[in-house]
């Protein structure tokens, strides 16, 4: 993200951060969620399939400086879609809407 910003990008979103609370303390997730020294806007992408967990993940990232929450509904990666997250959410409009409403609330 920092390299993209240095090279002129006006907006860079974090790598996908899981909505699974038990993984927030992992090295991988903590690195993705660390925005120390980055100029705004700070945008974080979250992924998951449970509306309540996604809302909690959004609040967690906002508490850590995120100004924009991007809900991943486009990732075609097999390991993401097998969990019905990412682009697989587009197959279940009701769940996608439930997630959006929970995150925005």
């Amino acid at each position: 993200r920092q390299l993209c910003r240095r090279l002129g990008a006006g907006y860079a979103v974090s790598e996908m951060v899981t909505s699974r609370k038990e993984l927030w303390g992992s090295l991988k997730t903590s690195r993705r969620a660390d925005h120390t020294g980055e100029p705004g806007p700070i945008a974080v992408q979250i992924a998951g399939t449970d509306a309540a967990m996604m809302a909690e993940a959004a609040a967690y990232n906002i508490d850590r400086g995120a100004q924009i929450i991007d809900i991943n509904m486009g990732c075609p990666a097999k390991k993401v879609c097998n969990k019905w997250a990412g682009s697989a959410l587009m197959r279940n409009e009701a769940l996608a809407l439930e997630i959006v409403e929970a995150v925005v609330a």
Side-chain angles (χ1 to χ4, degrees):
R1 294 181 309 258
Q2 291 180 15
L3 176 61
C4 291
R5 294 298 292 266
R6 275 197 307 271
L7 293 174
Y11 178 73
V13 180
S14 73
E15 290 182 78
M16 191 169 50
V17 175
T18 183
S19 62
R20 293 178 51 201
K21 191 175 188 172
E22 67 271 16
L23 297 177
W24 293 347
S26 72
L27 181 60
K28 185 176 175 180
T29 299
S30 63
R31 283 184 176 165
R32 290 177 176 181
D34 181 11
H35 302 282
T36 304
E38 290 183 34
I42 303 298
V44 175
Q45 183 180 87
I46 58 175
T49 58
D50 180 275
M53 288 172 64
M54 292 286 279
E56 189 175 6
Y60 172 82
N61 283 285
I62 288 167
D63 288 345
R64 279 148 190 77
Q67 298 162 303
I68 299 167
I69 298 296
D70 177 277
I71 300 170
N72 183 310
M73 293 189 193
C75 181
K78 196 174 207 175
K79 72 177 187 175
V80 175
C81 289
N82 283 344
K83 304 287 186 194
W84 286 95
S87 61
L89 279 173
M90 296 293 88
R91 298 168 99 188
N92 187 340
E93 285 182 43
L95 178 57
L97 180 59
E98 182 183 347
I99 289 170
V100 170
E101 288 175 339
V103 168
V104 172

